[in-house]
Amino acid sequence: MERAITAVNRAASSNTVVNLFLLSVFGALSARSLKHQWDIEALEAEKNALLKSNKEMRKTMWDWKQQLYAEAEALSSRALVPLSKLKAIYGDQDTAAPADGNSKGDGKAPGSRFII
């Protein structure tokens, strides 16, 4: 038992053992840092892909809304929902004051109600 303790003490005081231990710790930290760097790069690539798809979806929704407005305007005489109400629903029309100047005096802005 005494020999083992002496051998451990000698190894602990040896520069070679300490340097080997420090080198192995440095290697482990470097490997962990490299893995984190790869994770960060993958997340940045995913973020860029999500931003691109989000932009494409916004453009598609904008195109659909414009097409809906065009169809409502073209079928204005027999449309189920008039163009003005569609614009009010989507918030593309100023609803602060009525366009024709008529006011019911009830304090509610036109288009503040949802129509289902």
Side-chain angles (χ1 to χ4, degrees):
M1 185 75 164
E2 211 172 281
R3 284 185 197 167
I5 292 173
T6 305
V8 168
N9 283 339
R10 233 181 292 156
S13 65
S14 169
N15 279 341
T16 306
V17 173
V18 171
N19 288 341
L20 215 92
F21 174 74
L22 289 176
L23 187 63
S24 64
V25 169
F26 178 74
L29 289 174
S30 296
R32 187 179 81 170
S33 177
L34 187 62
K35 183 189 178 307
H36 285 170
Q37 184 63 34
W38 289 341
D39 290 345
I40 289 170
E41 288 172 359
L43 288 172
E44 285 177 350
E46 183 180 0
K47 175 187 168 190
N48 290 337
L50 287 172
L51 287 173
K52 182 180 176 187
S53 69
N54 191 14
K55 190 180 287 188
E56 289 171 357
M57 282 191 285
R58 269 193 255 134
K59 182 181 179 339
T60 301
M61 288 174 43
W62 172 259
D63 292 342
W64 286 348
K65 189 166 61 167
Q66 297 307 312
Q67 181 182 359
L68 178 66
Y69 289 168
E71 289 175 2
E73 190 172 13
L75 302 172
S76 61
S77 63
R78 54 190 172 112
L80 293 174
V81 180
L83 179 62
S84 61
K85 287 198 186 217
L86 281 176
K87 286 188 176 186
I89 290 170
Y90 285 106
D92 291 340
Q93 181 179 9
D94 184 24
T95 58
D100 59 358
N102 294 335
S103 178
K104 294 181 183 175
D106 60 355
K108 294 181 184 175
S112 63
R113 296 175 285 158
F114 288 101
I115 299 173
I116 300 175

